[in-house]
Amino acid sequence: MAAHFGRLRKGATTTAVAAVAVAALSASQAPGVTTDDLGRQSAGAAQPSGDANIGGEGGGATGDSPYYTDLPPLKSPNPSPSASPTTGTTVSVGEGEAGIPATVLDAYKKAEAELRASKPGCNLPWQLLAAIGKVESGQARGGRVDASGTTYSPILGPKLDGNGFALIADTDNGAYDGDPAYDRAVGPMQFIPSTWEWAGRDGNGDGKKDPNNVYDAALAAGHYLCRFDRDLSVQSQMNAAILNYNNSTEYLNTVLSWLEYYRKGTHEVPDGTGTLPSHSSNSDPASPSPSTPATPSTPSTPSTPSTPSTPKPGGGGSTSPTPKPPAPTSPAPSPTPPTPTQTVDHLEDANTGKLTATAGSAFGAKVAVRAESKASKGVAKVRVRFTIIGDTDATFTGGESVATVVTGSAGTATAPALVAGEKTGDFTVRATVVGRVLGGLDYTATVTPRQADTLTRTGDTPLTCVPGGEFADQVELKATYKGAVAGKVAATATLIKSADDPTENDKGPYFKDADGKTIRTLTDLTTDADGVLKLPKLYADDATGTFLLRVNTTGGAVLTVELKVAAATS
């Protein structure tokens, strides 16, 4: 874990590290707050100073609930050990803080993509969602989520009962936070129930809006930040959006510090292995970090009985009181059970068929894999990522080159159907387990050229010409494959010497190239969408007689056309 740089509390001075990051990010003007038509407040007017609550929401999305105040580590070309300011112990500043659990990172990026489509003017960066997710819940407690993105247990803030926090009486009858008396902030992005009721979104397409699902929560946070036609590429508007989320200058500084840190680079780590923060904005140092259960206390060490005092000379010989018995030790915390993803040992093929398709058509087989444990048992609820790799324009159904599928009860995941593009040749489909560093499975897929098995002339008019003239009619053909139109099929046309000698003729009819020069072989021809191929005009030299034009297509279709050159009759 990276070294911590002290604890931020409401009203406390921001650390130098946060100040440097914020100075690089913030515009000189102060963000403001206005009220929308529902009584909630946002950017626009003068910003209240300090940590005053905003309207009836007690401070925006979170009700000014506590948040993690750990700051990003100082980065240097050669990280060196440093002393922790809280314990004095030498610790090493590493790269652990930069890692974001795979499913959580996927949720942030999907939310950014959805907002890019629905609200392109907002310019929401996924790194802002990651920064807020870091300070609100430590990236969903280090990525303790299942394959669908739902936390294994609810993430709840403290009771907002006015005792050190905002006072927000229950608004949901405990439906979201389980508390029928007071509201609590809920989920990885810490929405209070009254805000979630209108701001909640279904980010994973399961038909529910669950504040404890990281896909739902990330998408809701994105829409919340993008309200009022904000443009988050403008620093003052970004500041206003963050303050509207949690109305605290220290909160703004902390989020901006993490935003800058993640913009410099991050990487995916397995679910459940993210670095957990340890410092809270809660003014009570003994209280647990926000949204995280209190850490079980360390078993106390039995006290050493004091040595009885020696009787004084000539005295009454009094001794010290009987030593107290050792204090009982606290039970050791129960080990956390592994997630389904953590139990996966390898991937096995699940009877994937031969992956071959003609250009422009769908593949008949789909890639299917099975996630298995060491005992070769299928593991359900594991996310498998399928990625198309190579020089190809093939995609999965829907036009994507990456698809993520959750394994079923038998541990099997089947990729969406592959659709071939126009590029022919081989490419690879790779299957990997999301959130685990395991060897994947590679499948070779092949796109073959479009084919035709039959060529016919579209007309039956004889093709004739006089010496030195040009043919009145152009050669037009139609290609089919198994009786169906064969569009976009490659073809060549050559004026040959004879039916038995397909080499190029050196006399008789000819085509012209772009410079008007004589050519007798045409390549790179393609039938149109209706399977029709219309050749350029033909010309004749002084030779007379019957000549042959042969057309070949990919797939084996061949047609030989007669061309006659004769002197005009009187």
Side-chain angles (χ1 to χ4, degrees):
M1 178 179 292
H4 300 297
F5 298 94
R7 175 175 302 192
L8 293 177
R9 296 190 181 92
K10 295 181 180 180
T13 302
T14 308
T15 65
V17 177
V20 171
V22 174
L25 287 166
S26 300
S28 59
Q29 66 270 36
V33 173
T34 58
T35 304
D36 67 6
D37 56 354
L38 296 175
R40 295 177 294 271
Q41 299 189 16
S42 65
Q47 172 66 27
S49 60
D51 296 331
N53 293 331
I54 303 177
E57 291 187 1
T62 70
D64 280 346
S65 293
Y67 55 90
Y68 287 118
T69 58
D70 299 56
L71 292 172
L74 289 172
K75 301 189 72 174
S76 61
N78 298 301
S80 57
S82 60
S84 166
T86 56
T87 64
T89 305
T90 299
V91 295
S92 182
V93 178
E95 296 298 320
E97 290 285 5
I100 299 177
T103 299
V104 181
L105 180 60
D106 187 54
Y108 296 149
K109 291 185 176 181
K110 277 186 167 56
E112 180 199 55
E114 196 277 345
L115 267 299
R116 192 186 305 124
S118 62
K119 296 183 178 180
C122 178
N123 296 305
L124 171 75
W126 66 260
Q127 291 92 341
L128 176 57
L129 296 176
I132 291 175
K134 180 70 174 182
V135 303
E136 292 293 352
S137 66
Q139 311 297 19
R141 294 185 186 142
R144 296 290 301 167
V145 297
D146 63 19
S148 67
T150 302
T151 58
Y152 285 111
S153 59
I155 299 178
L156 298 174
K159 291 182 179 182
L160 298 176
D161 56 5
N163 184 18
F165 312 110
L167 173 59
I168 305 179
D170 176 65
T171 61
D172 65 332
N173 294 319
Y176 294 118
D177 56 15
D179 191 330
Y182 299 98
D183 273 352
R184 296 182 177 205
V186 183
M189 305 303 278
Q190 288 289 277
F191 280 94
I192 56 174
S194 58
T195 302
W196 183 261
E197 190 62 31
W198 59 268
R201 295 290 192 280
D202 177 14
N204 62 350
D206 64 356
K208 298 183 295 184
K209 299 176 182 179
D210 182 359
N212 279 297
N213 180 279
V214 69
Y215 288 97
D216 295 358
L219 184 58
H223 278 279
Y224 188 94
L225 294 165
C226 287
R227 293 184 305 155
F228 312 111
D229 295 324
R230 290 189 181 110
D231 180 357
L232 300 186
S233 65
V234 178
Q235 190 61 52
S236 60
Q237 295 189 39
M238 177 183 283
N239 291 353
I242 297 170
L243 284 168
N244 194 203
Y245 204 92
N246 188 317
N247 187 35
S248 161
T249 302
E250 285 74 21
Y251 180 87
L252 170 67
N253 293 340
T254 307
V255 168
L256 291 178
S257 297
W258 281 107
L259 169 62
E260 179 70 4
Y261 184 69
Y262 287 137
R263 276 177 165 167
K264 292 178 180 178
T266 185
H267 59 276
E268 180 182 291
V269 298
D271 289 344
T273 65
T275 302
L276 291 174
S278 59
H279 295 99
S280 167
S281 63
N282 190 348
S283 58
D284 180 5
S287 65
S289 298
S291 311
T292 308
T295 304
S297 58
T298 305
S300 57
T301 305
S303 58
T304 304
S306 58
T307 304
S309 60
T310 304
K312 295 180 180 180
S318 63
T319 60
S320 62
T322 304
K324 295 182 180 180
T329 59
S330 303
S334 300
T336 303
T339 66
T341 300
Q342 291 170 334
T343 65
V344 177
D345 179 71
H346 59 276
L347 288 176
E348 287 287 338
D349 177 59
N351 299 318
T352 299
K354 188 176 181 180
L355 299 173
T356 304
T358 302
S361 64
F363 284 72
K366 297 180 179 179
V367 178
V369 299
R370 176 178 152 97
E372 295 185 352
S373 64
K374 285 186 178 180
S376 296
K377 292 184 178 180
V379 182
K381 297 183 179 180
V382 172
R383 298 172 67 242
V384 176
R385 179 178 296 147
F386 298 94
T387 306
I388 295 174
I389 301 171
D391 182 18
T392 181
D393 53 358
T395 64
F396 293 112
T397 301
E400 298 293 334
S401 60
V402 178
T404 303
V405 180
V406 178
T407 58
S409 58
T412 301
T414 302
L418 286 164
V419 179
E422 294 304 320
K423 289 186 178 180
T424 59
D426 295 341
F427 64 91
T428 300
V429 179
R430 178 167 297 164
T432 55
V433 177
V434 177
R436 288 297 304 276
V437 182
L438 296 174
L441 292 181
D442 284 353
Y443 295 85
T444 299
T446 303
V447 179
T448 59
R450 296 172 185 263
Q451 302 179 39
D453 54 16
T454 305
L455 275 174
T456 57
R457 278 192 67 195
T458 59
D460 55 6
T461 304
L463 300 168
T464 61
C465 184
V466 297
E470 66 179 55
F471 286 79
D473 297 311
Q474 291 177 244
V475 178
E476 186 176 276
L477 312 173
K478 185 164 185 177
T480 58
Y481 182 70
K482 295 182 179 180
V485 168
K488 298 182 180 180
V489 175
T492 60
T494 305
L495 291 152
I496 61 175
K497 290 183 177 180
S498 69
D500 298 326
D501 185 359
T503 58
E504 182 181 287
N505 206 339
D506 56 359
K507 62 181 179 179
Y510 60 90
F511 300 103
K512 291 182 179 180
D513 64 13
D515 297 324
K517 295 180 180 179
T518 298
I519 56 172
R520 289 188 168 90
T521 298
L522 298 176
T523 58
D524 298 326
L525 301 173
T526 306
T527 64
D528 64 16
D530 297 322
V532 175
L533 175 63
K534 191 171 185 177
L535 300 181
K537 278 189 175 184
L538 277 162
Y539 302 87
D541 59 14
D542 294 335
T544 59
T546 299
F547 302 90
L548 300 178
L549 170 67
R550 181 164 290 173
V551 181
N552 299 272
T553 71
T554 304
V558 179
L559 180 66
T560 302
V561 181
E562 282 191 354
L563 306 171
K564 292 185 178 181
V565 180
T569 58
S570 58

